[in-house]
């Protein structure tokens, strides 16, 4: 069966297809942006964009229990958005890339 396009030439179709991300890339993008659609994760990202913080401080600031904060931090860590370092007995979390905050700030400006 022949594909028919109403407005696209073969050259334009080829150009577009060469720029489309692969299914694997789209899947990674969807996972990445899913972090910005969760209320608690978005608040955590906002906190960490200001300074490194421990679970207890994030929990207190957001009024969310520590178990929930820890769970959301694990998701962010698994996605590569957050890392941690040990300071004695305390784990301090931080954003892995400034670009994470840039994405969020761009969205805030758009709204």
């Amino acid at each position: 069966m022949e594909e028919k396009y109403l407005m696209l030439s073969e050259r334009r179709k080829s150009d577009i297809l060469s720029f489309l991300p692969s299914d694997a890339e789209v899947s990674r993008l969807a996972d990445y942006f899913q972090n910005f659609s969760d209320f608690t994760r978005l608040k955590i990202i906002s906190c960490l964009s200001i300074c490194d913080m421990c679970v207890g401080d994030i929990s207190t600031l957001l009024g969310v229990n520590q178990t929930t904060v820890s769970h959301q931090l694990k998701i962010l860590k698994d996605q590569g958005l957050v890392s941690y370092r040990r300071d004695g007995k305390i784990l301090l979390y931080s954003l892995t890339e400034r670009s994470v905050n840039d994405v969020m700030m761009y969205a805030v400006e758009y709204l």
Side-chain angles (χ1 to χ4, degrees):
M1 180 176 223
E2 185 178 320
E3 297 174 338
K4 292 185 178 183
Y5 294 95
L6 295 175
M7 300 296 292
L8 291 178
S9 66
E10 283 299 316
R11 177 184 157 94
R12 179 68 81 173
K13 173 187 150 193
S14 177
D15 289 346
I16 292 169
L17 289 173
S18 71
F19 282 101
L20 286 179
S22 69
D23 289 349
E25 290 169 325
V26 170
S27 179
R28 286 194 307 271
L29 280 168
D31 288 344
Y32 178 81
F33 283 109
Q34 187 176 32
N35 290 302
F36 296 96
S37 68
D38 181 89
F39 186 82
T40 303
R41 277 180 253 159
L42 197 52
K43 297 280 265 186
I44 291 170
I45 291 169
S46 297
C47 287
L48 295 178
S49 70
I50 298 166
C51 66
D52 298 354
M53 300 177 126
C54 67
V55 171
D57 287 344
I58 296 170
S59 172
T60 300
L61 277 170
L62 301 182
V64 176
N65 69 53
Q66 288 189 12
T67 303
T68 300
V69 171
S70 292
H71 176 71
Q72 297 302 329
L73 282 167
K74 181 186 181 326
I75 292 170
L76 292 168
K77 188 173 84 53
D78 290 347
Q79 287 290 324
L81 275 69
V82 167
S83 62
Y84 67 90
R85 72 179 190 286
R86 186 172 293 282
D87 185 7
K89 292 183 177 184
I90 296 174
L91 297 178
L92 290 173
Y93 290 85
S94 61
L95 295 178
T96 57
E97 299 285 334
R98 176 111 180 109
S99 62
V100 173
N101 186 51
D102 293 343
V103 168
M104 187 181 70
M105 293 310 296
Y106 179 77
V108 168
E109 288 176 20
Y110 177 76
L111 298 174

